[in-house]
Amino acid sequence: MNDYILPEIWEVPKQMGGAWGGLNQATAGARFEQHLPVGEADFQLYSLGTPNGIKVTIMFEELRDLGVDLSYDLYRIKIGEGDQFGSDFVAINPNSKIPAMLDQTGNERVRVFESPSILLYLADKYGKLIPKDFAKRTEVLNWLFWQTGAAPFLGGGFGHFFHYAPEKIEYAINRFAMEAKRQLDLLDKELAIKRYIAGDDYTIADIAIWSWYGRLAQDKIWDRAGIFLNVRDYKNLQRWTQEIAKRPAVIRGLEAQYRDIN
């Protein structure tokens, strides 16, 4: 029996509980002074090997395979320890979420935050992994923004209540498992008629979506979540997932996140 009574005005609880409860606050902004390292490479990436974090290292490696001469330094932001709330990181991303990036290739540094924005920025900067044709470009952006809007239901919704919440709440798990299954079914149906999510060509939309849904299809997000959602049933999603997982740039992009970094 749930004895929670909805208050007229919500107040911050004294104790949230759960894996991330101690980090959550109802206010934004820096919580402490911080001095992040800044190297000499073209791009300074502050990240961690989460689904959003791996997108950017995969993108860098894909660009290199396409002949782009670029360098990047990768620095680990330990979100479980609150690094994302330090003053230097907040100056790059006021929203305190990884990944965040500095572009040092011009006369002035450019900050770029939110992973879809970073993917689009790099695609436009180098003219790679996004079509020049306006209609085809729009289709890629349709799916890039689909991932931006859909993944919070998967991560903050399903993933949180399935894996991180201090107690298993049947309604919450059912609510978000239903949405996760709907999203997986959508991708499976789309990939039944296309090699990649936006058509015949591999694009930033595939990188963005694979980093969440491909990793889920491999059962590599949240312990046993793939089994719980029966991801093996989505045959077209599995085909696409396996094809992308074999790309050398994807392999290197993952390795970059998981090896010892600064």
Side-chain angles (χ1 to χ4, degrees), residues 32-33 90 127 131 166 180 185 194 203 212 228 231-232 245 262:
F32 58 90
E33 287 298 315
V90 171
D185 187 60
K194 296 176 289 188
T203 69
W212 277 97
F228 184 80
V231 293
R232 293 296 171 190
N262 296 306

Side-chain angles (χ1 to χ4, degrees), residues 2 15 22 24:
N2 188 345
Q15 177 60 41
N24 294 330

Side-chain angles (χ1 to χ4, degrees), residues 49-63:
T50 67
N52 284 330
I54 65 177
K55 295 174 188 175
V56 186
T57 49
I58 290 173
M59 181 65 174
F60 281 142
E61 297 300 333
E62 292 284 6
L63 289 171

Side-chain angles (χ1 to χ4, degrees), residues 130-254:
I130 191 166
K132 292 182 174 59
D133 176 84
F134 187 69
K136 291 180 178 179
R137 174 188 170 88
T138 299
E139 181 66 3
V140 169
L141 295 183
N142 287 340
W143 286 105
L144 181 67
F145 292 127
W146 175 84
Q147 186 275 315
T148 306
F153 290 95
L154 182 64
F158 171 75
H160 178 78
F161 287 105
F162 175 80
H163 185 73
Y164 296 111
E167 59 181 307
K168 302 302 183 208
I169 303 171
E170 182 179 4
Y171 172 80
I173 291 173
N174 285 342
R175 165 69 180 88
F176 289 108
M178 185 81 73
E179 175 61 13
K181 294 283 284 184
R182 188 194 69 81
Q183 293 175 5
L184 291 167
D185 187 60
L186 168 64
L187 292 172
D188 197 61
K189 286 181 166 65
E190 290 291 323
L191 291 166
I193 57 175
K194 296 176 289 188
R195 181 179 179 185
Y196 297 110
I197 195 60
D200 294 331
D201 298 320
Y202 177 76
T203 69
I204 56 172
D206 294 286
I207 295 174
I209 295 171
W210 186 90
S211 297
W212 277 97
Y213 297 88
R215 297 291 277 172
L216 179 61
Q218 294 176 312
D219 198 19
K220 292 187 176 179
I221 307 179
W222 314 302
D223 186 39
R224 299 181 65 82
I227 295 172
F228 184 80
L229 295 173
N230 199 17
V231 293
R232 293 296 171 190
D233 264 5
Y234 303 101
K235 304 301 183 186
N236 304 304
L237 178 64
Q238 289 291 338
R239 183 269 307 162
W240 170 85
T241 294
Q242 292 166 20
E243 181 175 349
I244 292 176
K246 294 176 183 177
R247 294 179 67 89
V250 172
I251 294 170
R252 295 197 311 274
L254 293 175

Side-chain angles (χ1 to χ4, degrees), residues 24-189:
N24 294 330
Q25 293 185 9
T27 56
R31 300 179 188 175
F32 58 90
E33 287 298 315
Q34 176 189 56
H35 298 286
L36 287 179
V38 179
E40 299 297 324
D42 297 333
F43 298 96
Q44 303 295 294
L45 177 61
Y46 303 92
S47 189
L48 194 68
T50 67
N52 284 330
I54 65 177
K55 295 174 188 175
V56 186
T57 49
I58 290 173
M59 181 65 174
F60 281 142
E61 297 300 333
E62 292 284 6
L63 289 171
R64 284 175 164 176
D65 280 359
L66 291 170
V68 176
D69 182 16
L70 64 80
S71 60
Y72 67 94
D73 292 322
L74 174 59
Y75 301 101
R76 179 175 286 118
I77 298 297
K78 300 176 183 177
I79 59 176
E81 299 177 16
D83 288 354
Q84 68 273 31
F85 302 113
S87 57
D88 274 8
F89 188 84
V90 171
I92 303 172
N93 184 358
N95 194 40
S96 294
K97 303 291 184 182
I98 60 136
M101 182 181 80
L102 292 173
D103 178 357
Q104 303 190 130
T105 60
N107 293 328
E108 295 184 3
R109 286 181 183 151
V110 177
R111 73 175 187 179
V112 196
F113 58 88
E114 300 300 329
S115 58
S117 179
I118 296 174
L119 293 180
L120 183 58
Y121 179 88
L122 292 169
D124 282 343
K125 182 179 179 73
Y126 293 111
K128 306 289 187 182
L129 297 169
I130 191 166
K132 292 182 174 59
D133 176 84
F134 187 69
K136 291 180 178 179
R137 174 188 170 88
T138 299
E139 181 66 3
V140 169
L141 295 183
N142 287 340
W143 286 105
L144 181 67
F145 292 127
W146 175 84
Q147 186 275 315
T148 306
F153 290 95
L154 182 64
F158 171 75
H160 178 78
F161 287 105
F162 175 80
H163 185 73
Y164 296 111
E167 59 181 307
K168 302 302 183 208
I169 303 171
E170 182 179 4
Y171 172 80
I173 291 173
N174 285 342
R175 165 69 180 88
F176 289 108
M178 185 81 73
E179 175 61 13
K181 294 283 284 184
R182 188 194 69 81
Q183 293 175 5
L184 291 167
D185 187 60
L186 168 64
L187 292 172
D188 197 61
K189 286 181 166 65

